[in-house]
Amino acid sequence: TQCGDSGETGRSEKAGCTSGHRVVMDAIMQSGGSQDEKIVQLKAFLQEQFNQGNADQIKTLVTALVEDSLGLIVTRQLVRTFADIVHNAVAEKTQGPAQDEMAKYGDVTAEQLKTLAIFAVEQITGKQLAFEPELMTLREAIADIYQDVEEEWEKAAKELQKIPLDSGHLAVTEDTKFQIYLKIAMLYLQSGDSVNAEAYISRASHLEHTVKSETLRLQFRAQRVRIFDRKRKFIDAAQGYHQLSLSPLIPDEDQRLHALRSATISVILAAAGPRRTHMLGVLFKDERARVLPTFRIIEATYKEQIIPAALKAEFAKMLPDHVLEFAEYSILDRAIVMNNMLAASKVYDNIQFDELGGLLGISGTEAEEMASTMIAEGQMRGQIDQIDQIVRFNGGNDGQAKSRSDQQIHDACQQVNSLVEMLEVAHPEWFAAQWQPA
């Protein structure tokens, strides 16, 4: 029987279908056999209706299910079965059939599944206390369709938010709560809403110590790092990405290198300071970083060299989309100007504002403002002489300048020694011949 839904005739047919479904289910309940056998027959009837792929018929069946004519115990089992069928069908649509299995729900589209799940939620919600686990399963199925089929990440997050995880009537483990909070955070982050994403990561953080799954804890750390990145907490992001790149729980080497690459990008964008200097050293000395396209700018920054425009332009092509404009400079422009200001402070004892601006690629006024800000925030030592229009670096501390020169000579000698040792290992015979005493 096909159930229509058009005008008075459609409503009449729909009512007839509902009545027909109820008659079939009542007949099963009044037949012989144990209650368990009757429930098995009812579940088979439910599955049969679903396999026919007629969404209108399934809707009328859901309506008949929740009218309590079968009793709460039977109704709960059938609603549970319906929720599981929807969940499995959605999984097949979004992830494909299980291995070595044929598709079971090919006649039902993802849009129909979403419509059915939403309809069932509306029908069941009035009896929420009795069906909270089933509502949770249906809401997760709706969220999966929003996420994987429609790419409506915010709608998916809002659907998961409706699950009353703290309800005393819904028994969920701490791991399950943790996992759902993480998923909501990920979905909000995907939609560009870092504020709500951070709120749900914060909720998850209160449960982290109770979670035994190392995989879940790794997912938590990954989402938290992405939020640091989106909220422009670049030094925190750099440290987090580097830790992820070292995690043995990430078996794919390409994924670990991607995390390391993200760490190098974040540290370049971070504000100057001791934490950034330390992180630059960590990344520069990480042998894996030498194969990355970002290594040239890491090396130049670590060695306190001025970043040329060509290298800056090369690095700019590697930036993620969420690195947006900041004040009068982009985030990258500001980071490079600050780096080059520090590099200039290692070379010059003092320099006029206009000359410094020319060196940094900005105006003299902007150079003065940037130098003042960095000195005030403790990112650089120096003095501003507005009368003579000069920046004096390091307060004229020649001892420190000499110490820097000595360190540079020491570093150069260490690099020469390392090259000699590599030659000896790679070409021992040639090395022995070249280094024989005269």
Side-chain angles (χ1 to χ4, degrees), residues 71-370:
L72 181 59
I73 295 176
V74 175
T75 299
R76 285 194 66 175
Q77 293 194 52
L78 293 180
V79 172
R80 176 75 259 168
T81 299
F82 174 82
D84 288 340
I85 291 173
V86 172
H87 180 271
N88 294 335
V90 169
E92 181 178 284
K93 298 297 179 184
T94 58
Q95 303 169 21
Q99 189 174 7
D100 300 328
E101 288 188 11
M102 298 291 291
K104 298 178 181 178
Y105 307 98
D107 294 336
V108 187
T109 67
E111 179 63 28
Q112 286 176 321
L113 286 170
K114 184 183 75 173
T115 301
L116 287 171
I118 292 173
F119 178 79
V121 166
E122 291 171 349
Q123 295 297 307
I124 296 169
T125 297
K127 305 173 182 181
Q128 185 169 349
L129 294 182
F131 299 107
E132 278 196 348
E134 291 72 31
L135 284 170
M136 176 176 172
T137 299
L138 290 168
R139 291 196 188 283
E140 287 182 305
I142 295 167
D144 285 344
I145 293 175
Y146 280 136
Q147 175 186 353
D148 297 323
V149 178
E150 301 180 6
E151 296 187 350
E152 293 280 0
W153 298 294
E154 185 177 2
K155 288 184 179 180
K158 289 183 181 298
E159 194 65 38
L160 292 177
Q161 278 182 277
K162 296 174 184 176
I163 299 174
L165 294 174
D166 296 321
S167 168
H169 301 279
L170 183 62
V172 293
T173 65
E174 297 297 278
D175 278 20
T176 299
K177 283 186 185 180
F178 186 78
Q179 194 167 11
I180 292 176
Y181 287 151
L182 281 186
K183 189 169 183 177
I184 294 173
M186 180 272 292
L187 289 165
Y188 272 126
L189 198 59
Q190 195 76 11
S191 71
D193 186 348
S194 58
V195 174
N196 272 317
E198 188 173 31
Y200 276 89
I201 279 293
S202 177
R203 290 193 186 190
S205 68
H206 298 306
L207 300 174
E208 185 188 8
H209 68 283
T210 69
V211 175
K212 297 178 182 179
S213 169
E214 286 297 327
T215 301
L216 280 180
R217 297 178 75 172
L218 177 67
Q219 290 175 7
F220 168 76
R221 291 194 290 271
Q223 292 301 326
R224 184 173 58 184
V225 168
R226 289 183 63 205
I227 289 171
F228 286 150
D229 196 352
R230 292 298 181 93
K231 293 186 73 70
R232 299 174 183 173
K233 298 178 180 180
F234 291 119
I235 193 59
D236 293 323
Q239 290 175 331
Y241 280 130
H242 186 250
Q243 290 170 1
L244 289 174
S245 78
L246 298 171
S247 175
L249 295 175
I250 303 178
D252 190 329
E253 184 178 355
D254 288 340
Q255 290 183 349
R256 293 198 300 271
L257 279 177
H258 181 75
L260 184 63
R261 181 176 181 271
S262 297
T264 61
I265 290 174
S266 295
V267 77
I268 293 298
L269 299 176
R275 293 178 67 196
R276 181 178 188 260
T277 301
H278 171 74
M279 200 64 221
L280 279 168
V282 169
L283 293 170
F284 177 74
K285 294 170 185 176
D286 191 323
E287 291 295 328
R288 302 171 301 158
R290 296 179 181 274
V291 303
L292 298 176
T294 52
F295 183 72
R296 284 183 60 207
I297 197 167
I298 287 291
E299 181 179 28
T301 307
Y302 173 71
K303 293 181 177 179
E304 299 179 333
Q305 299 171 352
I306 289 180
I307 307 298
L311 182 55
K312 171 188 165 185
E314 178 184 320
F315 179 71
K317 296 176 183 178
M318 308 175 201
L319 294 179
D321 293 338
H322 64 267
V323 179
L324 304 174
E325 292 297 311
F326 180 77
E328 295 181 10
Y329 307 109
S330 71
I331 295 173
L332 174 60
D333 288 335
R334 183 177 177 83
I336 296 299
V337 167
M338 292 176 72
N339 175 82
N340 289 349
M341 180 81 74
L342 286 171
S345 75
K346 311 302 179 184
V347 177
Y348 293 88
D349 288 331
N350 56 75
I351 186 172
Q352 290 189 327
F353 297 156
D354 289 341
E355 187 179 352
L356 179 61
L359 185 67
L360 302 178
I362 56 179
S363 69
T365 301
E366 290 170 331
E368 177 191 1
E369 291 174 354
M370 180 65 76

Side-chain angles (χ1 to χ4, degrees), residues 45-62:
F45 174 67
L46 178 58
Q47 182 72 61
E48 179 186 353
Q49 297 303 308
F50 203 96
N51 290 345
Q52 291 178 5
N54 188 305
D56 287 332
Q57 286 194 28
I58 299 171
K59 281 185 179 181
T60 60
L61 178 56
V62 171

